[in-house]
Amino acid sequence: MLDQFDIALDPMFPPVDRGRLISALSEVLPAGALVTKTEGMRVYESDGLAAYRGLPAVVALPRDTGEVRAVLRTCARLGVPVVARGAGTGLSGGALPSPGCVLLSLSRMSRILAIDPDARTARVQPGVRNLAISEAAAPYGLFYAPDPSSQLACSIGGNVAENAGGVHCLKYGLTVHNLQALEIMTLEGEGLTLGGEALDAPGFDLMALMTGSEGLLAVVTEVTVRLLPSPSHAQVMLAAFADVRQAGEAVAAIIAAGIIPAGLEMMDRLALTAAEEHTHAGYPTDAAAILLCELDGAEDDIAEELERVAAICEAAGAVQVRVARDESERQLFWAGRKGAFPAMGRLAPDYYCIDGTIPRRRLPDVLEAIGRLSEEHGLAVANVFHAGDGNLHPLILYDANEDGGIERAEALGGKILELCVAMGGTITGEHGVGREKINQMCAQFGSAEIETFFAIKAAFDPAGLLNPGKAIPTPARCVEHGAMHVHAGKAPFAHLDRF
Amino acid sequence: MPTSTASEIRDFADELADRVRAASAARTPLRIVGGDTKAFYGRAVGGERLDVSGYAGVVDYEPSELVITTRAGTRIKEIEALLARQNQRLAFEPPVLGSDSTLGGVVAAGLAGPRRPFAGAVRDSVLGVTVLGGKGEALRFGGTVFKNVAGFDGFRLMAGALGCLGVLLEVSLRVAPIPASELSRSFDLSWPAAQAWITTLMRRPLPLSGVAHDGERLHLRLSGPSAAVAAAAAEFGGEETPAVFWEDLRHRRTGSLGAPRLWRLSVPRTAALNDLPGPAIRDWGGAEIWLDSDAPAERIRTFAAEAGGHATLYRGAGPGEAVFSPLPPGLFALHKRLKAAFDPAGVFNPGRMYEGL
């Protein structure tokens, strides 16, 4: 369990008297902008990774950029860590309060400032919900493409911090590909504009660097996103396989055929059975795996591509191929997929979601290997994931009330992530490193990269006070964790010096 | 393809790392060079030439992954030919200004062609890099998969950094399938009329892949599945534009793009910029303007800034003259700190982007 910060392995700061901190913040903020009572702060003690918990010193709820600046300057002056938080739906403990921190919640900054349908942009405050942007854009025939499963609740500021993905990112890109401009604020309270109204900006691409930086570099105070015209038609196909391997092979074959589906999702038997019981989506529960392949565009093109996808799936051994008969069945197929995570509650009291990405062609091997690891560790694993971009979400089923339950689940999760790295992939495709995967970072990166990451952080945040102990492990932690930076048995550029 | 052996490649990487270490120790500026086809772009850099073009070759190309990994010295023409054989291509359609142009140079310059507004910038295709940092250490950022949020995105940062942050050794790129159908149409429309039409077109889900105005005519390129392309072409009418128009635009061969002093204005597509001080070619639906003008730099930069964008003196900067629009002081200070994080001795292409960086 990594909710406990370790003075030997994590960046720590001299404690600041809580009363002094609260009075300093009270001086610069209006009444009602602070939560100081323990019961009020409970809401903020964890994000979507609820197993990790900790209380901040105080919660600040700024309503505008000026109040964000006031909080940051106060924390910079007193040497107090700051953990920024959006809607708290993150799955990696990125918004877990660190000891003695100010938890900076951006949830009150939730206004859509402007929609410009001609420029195809939306300018919004960081606390605006992801789905609210698409809803506001819909009257203009436009939408915001990145659609993480939590889009009903998650906020755009958090999406930027995590570089959130979703079902549609195979075709339409991640958050980073759909941003136009960011307003950010450094710990010292300096406001900077990254990106702009044009398609590029002079200088280094700091907007790309800022995206996915997990609150370690600066606080996002305003976001301008790009909007896309909504496709005129969309259709989904369900293909069922008697063998998980065949489903994996079909995924690679679809992409190899030059088809970029709007979504290409896979569920194995455990996942689809639970989802079917939960949602009654009409999934064939006797299948070993199903693929959901969504295509969008012109009606005739979709019909033609559906035929090609069907032929590819059948050639890979599909036992059943079905196109949704109408829009309501299409919605139902997706409702099953979206309900797969909550459906896990039918299988076990708790689940632990892993987020590795692998090259697509490794899917069959990795799924088999996960099956073996699952048996070795005596924990069931359900697979439901973004197959089109190789982003796995193995769900490890466990019981937190059992002695050592979470530790066993974490141990298996760690093995799966190391497997992803060994296969040429990554420990996190879209959920972020946060607190949760900080040890596995040592498996993916060597000390030279980690040193550079800290140098990048120091360029933005010299005091190191923004979200300390997250995303980037200290060298001491990597020594302690003992992981070596190894890909399939050999480090890249092994002959060159690594510091 | 060069037929270097594995040990030659290793030796070459070692030699590059040694050169970087020695340069950092002596604080000798390095002018990093691939094919040296874009020496005109950016401010002039003094210093020792560090030629990376010998560090060439495809490391891995698996068409079903839509990913290619090559060494940075690999010629872009060879990469494009290899992709074309698998019916794939680079989404960002980079200008290739000479047959020696390398992938490393293309990524460092960060320049993209007509498909940019529809298929993304260079950095949108970069999945991972290996670069030499200022201590001569090999740094690997990103990887070979599309979805990857581990660590800061040092790889996207390298695109368009003009070699100021490191020496690119290897680059992994996401590639795109070549669509089933591609058609181009042109229309006799003045710019203001064309701009109004573009605005309505861009709000619709059309398979556009190029929107350019050559000063007299509007050119539209459609790429995608056959039915969508055919339907749009039928709706638009117009005259056929030969495919070579887009090739010439992409490789900067069209009309005034050869001007000795050429400005590149990057502005919002919807900005009203009708009285430019010189002949203009507009790409990216109007968001990228190529301006042949001897007007004072200050005037052109102000013009672009007032429209919400910026101006680059793409070609023909005099000695010491600024090329890129100046950054606000706070942002420039951050650039300097970031450069020092990668390149503490300040040896990588110093001054190429900005004086003092």
Side-chain angles (χ1 to χ4, degrees):
Chain A
M1 286 288 286
L2 272 168
D3 54 341
Q4 298 301 310
F5 290 81
D6 186 334
I7 194 156
L9 303 181
D10 294 310
M12 298 292 253
F13 303 89
V16 172
D17 180 73
R18 185 164 178 263
R20 188 174 157 226
L21 171 63
I22 290 171
S23 77
L25 288 169
S26 304
E27 278 170 30
V28 293
L29 292 173
L34 291 178
V35 181
T36 56
K37 293 208 172 83
T38 302
E39 60 269 34
M41 295 199 295
R42 285 274 174 232
V43 186
Y44 301 95
E45 69 180 354
S46 71
D47 58 18
L49 184 65
Y52 289 19
R53 289 173 187 276
L55 279 176
V58 56
V59 176
L61 298 160
R63 281 171 309 193
D64 57 36
T65 302
E67 291 178 17
V68 173
R69 177 179 286 119
V71 172
L72 291 173
R73 281 194 174 151
T74 304
C75 291
R77 180 166 58 83
L78 299 178
V80 175
V82 179
V83 176
R85 175 187 165 110
T89 57
L91 293 170
S92 58
L96 173 73
S98 56
C101 79
V102 169
L103 193 289
L104 181 69
S105 167
L106 283 310
S107 59
R108 283 187 180 173
M109 292 174 65
S110 58
R111 278 189 304 134
I112 294 176
L113 301 171
I115 301 243
D116 184 340
D118 286 343
R120 274 186 10 210
T121 58
R123 194 162 62 82
V124 303
Q125 290 187 319
V128 169
R129 291 178 304 112
N130 172 296
L131 189 60
I133 301 176
S134 282
E135 285 169 351
Y140 307 102
L142 303 172
F143 76 113
Y144 175 62
D147 57 343
S149 304
S150 56
Q151 69 176 154
L152 197 62
C154 66
S155 64
I156 191 71
N159 288 178
V160 172
E162 302 293 325
N163 191 14
V167 166
H168 279 103
C169 64
L170 176 61
K171 181 168 183 177
Y172 296 110
L174 311 164
T175 302
V176 70
H177 303 114
N178 290 278
L179 292 178
Q180 181 77 32
L182 294 176
E183 297 289 334
I184 64 166
M185 190 165 289
T186 66
L187 183 76
E188 275 94 18
E190 180 175 26
L192 297 170
T193 302
L194 310 181
E197 292 177 69
L199 283 174
D200 48 42
F204 299 140
D205 198 336
L206 300 188
M207 185 164 68
L209 181 64
M210 184 69 199
T211 309
S213 61
E214 302 197 24
L216 270 74
L217 301 183
V219 175
V220 174
T221 56
E222 191 180 298
V223 184
T224 305
V225 301
R226 294 191 184 131
L227 303 172
L228 294 175
S230 304
S232 56
H233 295 86
Q235 182 53 283
V236 69
M237 172 183 288
L238 186 158
F241 296 83
D243 178 12
V244 175
R245 228 189 142 81
Q246 294 172 339
E249 283 161 4
V251 169
I254 290 167
I255 306 292
I259 298 166
I260 307 286
L264 184 54
E265 300 285 305
M266 184 163 160
M267 299 165 86
D268 70 3
R269 175 172 288 149
L270 207 48
L272 77 91
T273 308
E276 178 59 23
E277 285 171 14
H278 182 79
T279 311
H280 307 293
Y283 295 160
T285 48
D286 54 345
I290 61 167
L291 288 181
L292 290 177
C293 179
E294 173 138 315
L295 298 161
D296 64 15
E299 208 167 4
D300 292 350
D301 290 323
I302 294 176
E304 188 255 343
E305 284 188 344
L306 282 171
E307 274 178 33
R308 289 172 62 205
V309 171
I312 289 167
C313 290
E314 278 160 3
V319 290
Q320 187 194 349
V321 170
R322 262 175 74 196
V323 175
R325 80 179 88 81
D326 53 25
E327 180 60 19
S328 73
E329 191 176 56
R330 174 178 161 261
Q331 296 289 351
L332 194 58
F333 280 179
W334 281 116
R337 163 66 183 84
K338 286 184 177 158
F341 281 37
M344 289 302 128
R346 293 169 177 267
L347 299 178
D350 300 283
Y351 68 86
Y352 181 47
C353 177
I354 308 299
D355 177 44
T357 303
I358 52 158
R360 267 181 297 271
R361 66 182 185 277
R362 304 280 195 189
L363 267 177
D365 293 340
V366 170
L367 291 173
E368 274 185 5
I370 290 175
R372 278 197 304 276
L373 285 170
S374 158
E375 279 176 29
E376 282 168 31
H377 287 249
L379 290 171
V381 175
N383 284 291
V384 44
F385 59 97
H386 312 302
D389 34 38
N391 186 195
L392 305 175
H393 288 325
L395 301 168
I396 300 170
L397 307 176
Y398 73 102
D399 183 350
N401 288 324
E402 252 176 43
D403 218 18
I406 175 96
E407 285 78 9
R408 283 169 58 220
E410 282 185 333
L412 172 53
K415 290 286 171 206
I416 293 174
L417 292 183
E418 283 159 27
L419 171 70
C420 292
V421 174
M423 288 287 181
T426 174
I427 57 170
T428 175
E430 58 183 2
H431 296 170
V433 174
R435 185 65 185 158
E436 177 204 22
K437 292 181 275 288
I438 196 154
N439 284 341
Q440 277 78 32
M441 279 291 283
C442 310
Q444 187 164 335
F445 293 100
S447 52
E449 286 90 5
I450 286 179
E451 191 181 292
T452 307
F453 289 148
F454 274 112
I456 292 170
K457 176 166 173 59
F460 283 80
D461 172 24
L465 289 167
L466 288 174
N467 216 8
K470 313 284 179 62
I472 314 292
T474 58
R477 177 168 283 284
C478 285
V479 169
E480 176 77 14
H481 185 62
M484 295 298 292
H485 176 51
V486 173
H487 288 277
K490 60 178 197 307
F493 295 91
H495 57 290
L496 293 180
D497 273 355
R498 308 189 65 86
F499 295 2
Chain B
M1 293 287 148
T3 51
S4 314
T5 65
S7 78
E8 280 168 354
I9 283 294
R10 228 177 9 249
D11 291 348
F12 198 90
D14 284 340
E15 192 189 313
L16 289 171
D18 286 344
R19 293 267 321 268
V20 167
R21 269 190 290 270
S24 279
R27 300 199 169 251
T28 309
L30 294 172
R31 186 171 86 87
I32 307 163
V33 167
D36 212 7
T37 59
K38 291 183 277 285
F40 66 89
Y41 185 61
R43 298 172 73 257
V45 176
E48 280 179 18
R49 183 183 163 101
L50 186 73
D51 188 339
V52 190
S53 63
Y55 197 67
V58 175
V59 177
D60 189 28
Y61 174 39
E62 177 58 46
S64 75
E65 296 291 335
L66 303 177
V67 175
I68 187 167
T69 300
T70 78
R71 297 189 187 93
T74 314
R75 290 178 181 192
I76 199 81
K77 285 197 163 174
E78 290 171 9
I79 293 172
E80 293 200 307
L82 181 67
L83 295 177
R85 285 200 285 280
Q86 300 293 335
N87 209 33
Q88 294 181 348
R89 63 188 183 187
L90 300 172
F92 53 87
E93 208 176 8
V96 183
L97 305 181
S99 58
D100 289 338
S101 178
T102 64
L103 177 64
V106 161
V107 171
L111 295 167
R115 208 151 48 226
R116 160 68 185 91
F118 314 96
V122 179
R123 62 104 146 145
D124 295 327
S125 286
V126 178
L127 299 178
V129 298
T130 304
V131 290
L132 285 175
K135 296 170 192 162
E137 77 281 40
L139 302 166
R140 189 172 188 269
F141 299 117
T144 60
V145 292
F146 181 54
K147 282 173 91 174
N148 181 3
V149 295
F152 298 136
D153 288 355
F155 54 104
R156 293 195 181 97
L157 190 60
M158 295 298 153
L162 291 176
C164 296
L165 296 176
V167 182
L168 287 166
L169 288 182
E170 245 180 59
V171 181
S172 296
L173 292 173
R174 191 187 204 212
V175 300
I178 294 176
S181 175
E182 194 153 281
L183 289 173
S184 289
R185 291 284 182 270
S186 78
F187 308 86
D188 185 12
L189 278 176
S190 67
W191 171 246
Q195 187 181 34
W197 193 35
I198 291 167
T199 302
T200 66
L201 293 180
M202 293 292 278
R203 286 180 58 170
R204 295 172 50 194
L206 294 165
L208 291 166
S209 67
V211 177
H213 194 268
D214 63 12
E216 289 166 8
R217 297 182 70 81
L218 174 68
H219 302 261
L220 300 180
R221 183 175 60 183
L222 300 157
S223 312
S226 311
V229 168
E235 178 195 329
F236 297 160
E239 291 170 33
E240 195 176 312
T241 282
V244 71
F245 169 83
W246 300 104
E247 286 298 296
D248 286 347
L249 181 62
R250 170 187 171 187
H251 300 306
R252 321 288 193 235
R253 295 190 293 244
T254 306
S256 58
L257 295 187
R261 190 174 167 88
L262 183 68
W263 287 88
R264 173 183 177 273
L265 276 61
S266 179
V267 294
R269 166 170 56 74
T270 48
L273 283 172
N274 296 327
D275 45 357
L276 292 165
I281 292 173
R282 297 167 197 260
D283 196 359
W284 298 5
E288 184 182 60
I289 302 174
W290 296 97
L291 180 65
D292 173 10
S293 175
D294 288 325
E298 195 51 43
R299 186 173 158 215
I300 291 172
R301 292 198 195 282
T302 305
F303 209 74
E306 282 174 356
H310 60 99
T312 302
L313 184 46
Y314 177 77
R315 185 194 296 119
E321 191 174 11
V323 167
F324 299 96
S325 284
L327 300 174
L331 203 52
F332 188 63
L334 180 57
H335 274 65
K336 288 178 79 159
R337 294 196 298 273
L338 206 53
K339 164 126 173 121
F342 284 89
D343 176 20
V347 297
F348 296 140
N349 283 354
R352 179 124 190 202
M353 186 181 277
Y354 290 104
E355 189 178 2
L357 188 72

